[in-house]
Amino acid sequence: MSNIANLFTPETTALVLVDYQVGTLQLIRTMSSDESLRNAVLLAKAARALKMPVVLTTSQEDHIQGPLAPALQHELPDAYEQRIKRAGIVNAWTDPKFEAAVRATGRHNLLMGGVTTDICLIFPSINAVQAGFAVQAVLDASGSTYPDQETLSRRRMEQEGVVLTTTNTAIAELVQDWSSPAGSELVKLLASTAPMMQAMA
């Protein structure tokens, strides 16, 4: 058993994904938008395998932001049907329906991804910490248009108590044992993103 304090486990954690919409994904320039979405989908697969609650939210789907990415719709059909569709509120946390959905998970730990670090992720992650949640922001599942936006957003989140992490680290923390049934499934997913490991399989 790990002796890391405040370890995120499937029993204590909910996955929250903010605004992974086909239009908004095009704002990402500090990393590949395909990589951002791929990591969000990996998080979704992990949540399903570990039976974690998931909260999805979108903003103005009928505008330039567009619908939720089809890959996430496919991976999380139930969460997609129950997604919080915001009318235009920038900070998802300030939408009462979104906050209520997060609280309804009954989980104190939030693993959070937002398609853009500098808008979609920064505000709800900070507000959730201020509301008493422990939050880990998955930074390789989000990006910004310019490097300064990314750097300053990461700095501000960390200063406000948001823990910064990556997809592989987050999944490994949740699994803890690759020999478990869920671990065996998820290690294959992680290996699928590494060409050298695929060649060894």
Side-chain angles (χ1 to χ4, degrees):
M1 185 68 177
S2 174
N3 59 1
I4 296 175
N6 304 316
L7 191 74
F8 275 36
T9 69
E11 295 76 26
T12 63
T13 307
L15 175 64
V16 179
L17 297 176
V18 182
D19 297 351
Y20 284 89
Q21 296 164 249
V22 296
T24 313
L25 277 161
Q26 306 313 307
L27 294 172
I28 297 176
R29 293 289 183 272
T30 55
M31 66 181 294
S32 163
S33 60
D34 288 343
E35 183 180 353
S36 169
L37 179 58
R38 184 199 72 197
N39 286 329
V41 171
L42 278 176
L43 293 170
K45 290 178 181 291
R48 285 190 65 181
L50 296 167
K51 298 179 172 55
M52 292 164 49
V54 180
V55 176
L56 297 176
T57 184
T58 57
S59 176
Q60 295 188 317
E61 292 182 13
D62 55 348
H63 289 65
I64 194 170
Q65 293 95 322
L68 188 76
L72 285 173
Q73 293 187 37
H74 173 76
E75 194 62 44
L76 298 168
D78 294 338
Y80 175 67
E81 286 299 318
Q82 299 172 30
R83 71 194 183 280
I84 307 303
K85 296 188 283 185
R86 308 191 318 282
I89 295 172
V90 172
N91 178 358
W93 193 263
T94 61
D95 185 317
K97 292 181 180 179
F98 175 80
E99 181 181 353
V102 172
R103 292 188 182 279
T105 67
R107 306 299 172 87
H108 174 72
N109 296 334
L110 305 179
L111 189 61
M112 190 177 293
V115 66
T116 56
T117 312
D118 61 319
I119 298 176
C120 301
L121 180 59
I122 183 172
F123 302 121
S125 66
I126 290 173
N127 271 168
V129 168
Q130 292 172 341
F133 291 86
V135 179
Q136 290 190 19
V138 187
L139 293 181
D140 60 354
S142 69
S144 302
T145 306
Y146 298 106
D148 282 350
Q149 296 169 337
E150 185 72 15
T151 298
L152 294 174
S153 296
R154 292 181 179 201
R155 184 183 303 167
R156 183 176 174 187
M157 286 189 293
E158 198 163 32
Q159 289 172 341
E160 294 288 345
V162 178
V163 174
L164 309 184
T165 192
T166 63
T167 301
N168 284 9
T169 301
I171 292 174
E173 180 172 342
L174 290 166
V175 171
Q176 286 297 301
D177 183 356
W178 296 122
S179 69
S180 67
S184 298
E185 177 182 344
L186 291 171
V187 75
K188 293 175 184 176
L189 286 176
L190 297 187
S192 72
T193 68
M196 290 181 67
M197 291 186 74
Q198 292 179 51
M200 295 167 62

